[in-house]
Amino acid sequence: MENKEYLKTVRKEMPKSKHALTMVRAFLTGGLICVIGQAIFDTLKYFMPLVVEEMIHQYTITILILITGILTGIGVYDKIGKFGGAGSIISITGFANSVVAPAIEHKREGYILGLCANMFTIAGPVIVLGIAASVIVGILAMIFPGLFLR
Amino acid sequence: MRNQTIYFKNNDVGILETATIAGPKEGEGPLGRYFHNVLKDDLLKQKSYEKAETKIHISVIKNILNKTKLTPRDIDCVFAGDILDEMIVSSFAMREFDIPFIGVYNACASFGEALINASCMLDSGYMNRVICSTSSHFSTAERQYRFPLELGNQRTPLSQWTVTGAGCTLLEKNKNLPVKITCATIGKVVDFGVRDVNDMGAAMTPAAMDTLITHFENTKRKPDYYDMILTGDLGDAASRLLKKLIKRQGYDLDENYNDCGVLIYNREAQQVGQGGSGTACSNLVFNAYIYDKMLQGDLKRVLLVPTGALISKTSTLQGETMPGIAHAICLEAV
């Protein structure tokens, strides 16, 4: 069925993404999100000097996810994503957005079969592969003790 | 019929009236003032966008009945279609009317398919008055074929914007109507192996080219026979590709060629990628803008070629290529 000549023409004639521009935008957006995260982290640490750093990391992530959830709900995050591309997708906020967006969309099909069933349609692969990777790392750590210790 | 082309020899398949309802974004586009109704809000206070699209479809049929002062009893059949799965919008819209219904699906070429089917029924004398209507909605199509609305992702430069709206044409078997459908070329499914879901224009271009060339060969007409040749929703880049490729075959689509998807939006300002797409795209442009121009006498002969990419989410995920289809309908103003 494939018409090689036509596909070649299509590749040549059709407009392409402006990679340089999108990369700069992604860098700036991703960087800004990280700066905001660092600011939240530093503020928390200043006000809670006795809490261990690991816990403050968790608080920071939770706050970022909460902010993204709200921004997605009021229809702002998709505009950030349109500008930032990968910069706002790769960060934890992008993950939060990919869970909240389908949840909002599928709420109309009911809470169980709509919202809950479709919540992870986009984030699902990330979770599955994340767990799979941690299983592999776990097995490696079991076979070679001390491999992942600093 | 000879080689895909049907001639409506009785010359009595005429357009009695048209009605359109366009979404807010379409209303802001260059054709905004031609649409009969423009929505302020595309959710229409409904619980879901699917319900909103159904409501638009119902309203457009009601509008055309009100405009012509006809009752459902006067209509022999409705040929309607949309691009949601199992055609729920048209089917749910038609449960509001006491009119026989035939659902048509050729993706975004459904409007063309409806016109051809209806014209055959009228020309053969089986029916006297039929409605052809199609609808699409950005938010329902986006959700079905792509991603949730609130997801922060980027659109590729090749992507197109599904037109929100519904339009319908009321055809009547009547020799005295000003605009008539005189012949039509039924398209074949053409697949040149395009796989990029975002590049629907390139997937449909070979189909459009095949139908156009077949039409020109069968009717022994040149492209300049028409005042306007309109493809459905190839978008800007693909319609330029079509022009280039068809020129190699000896047909020159010049000033008289345009694409409905390009006409309906201000491409750059409204950030719609390559232009509009969807079942309502060619429908709105024809029923609002082109029909008006034909009545004014600015256009005498028009070849409308709605194009469709015959895909589903499953087929593209399973690695299938994207076949396209295009039907050509020749409209002449007396």
Side-chain angles (χ1 to χ4, degrees), chain A residues 1-3 6-7 10 13-17 72 75 78 81-83 85 89 97-98 101-102 105-106 108-109 122, chain B residues 47-48 143 148-152 154 157-158 191-195 199 202 205-206 237-238 241 244-245 271 274:
Chain A
M1 269 324 230
E2 292 198 358
N3 187 321
Y6 176 70
L7 293 177
V10 168
E13 299 281 330
M14 298 303 256
K16 290 168 191 64
S17 299
T72 306
D78 60 319
K82 205 171 165 189
F83 175 83
I89 290 174
N97 170 249
S98 73
E105 189 113 336
H106 288 278
R108 295 176 190 117
E109 280 95 77
I122 296 160
Chain B
K47 275 197 195 128
S48 69
R143 169 208 164 116
L149 290 175
E150 298 302 333
L151 188 72
Q154 282 178 328
L158 293 175
D191 190 345
F192 275 13
V194 176
R195 279 175 206 276
D199 196 0
T205 302
L241 183 69
K244 202 168 187 175
L245 292 176
Q271 298 191 351
Q274 292 302 316

Side-chain angles (χ1 to χ4, degrees), chain B residues 57 61 75-82 87 90 94 99-105 110-122 126-127 129-135 167-169 171 283:
Chain B
H57 207 129
I61 297 177
I75 310 296
D76 294 322
C77 188
V78 171
F79 291 81
D82 60 89
M87 279 177 34
S90 323
M94 287 316 296
I99 310 175
F101 161 58
I102 291 179
V104 288
Y105 182 82
S110 301
F111 181 57
E113 189 194 358
L115 283 181
I116 295 175
N117 277 316
S119 304
C120 292
M121 289 295 188
L122 293 180
Y126 292 125
M127 292 177 185
R129 240 182 249 117
V130 292
I131 289 178
C132 301
S133 71
T134 57
S135 66
C168 63
T169 315
L171 297 176
N283 183 336

Side-chain angles (χ1 to χ4, degrees), chain A residues 3 6, chain B residues 3-5 185-192 202-219 231 234 241-243 245-247 249 251 253 303 305-307 324-328:
Chain A
N3 187 321
Y6 176 70
Chain B
N3 282 335
Q4 295 175 249
T5 302
T185 301
I186 303 175
K188 290 182 283 199
V189 176
V190 181
D191 190 345
F192 275 13
M204 297 186 286
T205 302
M209 197 164 85
D210 185 88
T211 304
L212 278 171
I213 292 175
T214 311
H215 180 81
F216 293 141
E217 277 174 1
N218 288 349
T219 54
T231 47
L234 295 183
L241 183 69
L242 172 73
K243 260 173 147 174
L245 292 176
I246 209 164
K247 199 168 187 173
Q249 309 278 336
Y251 294 98
L253 297 179
L303 189 67
V305 191
T307 44
I325 191 158
H327 302 298

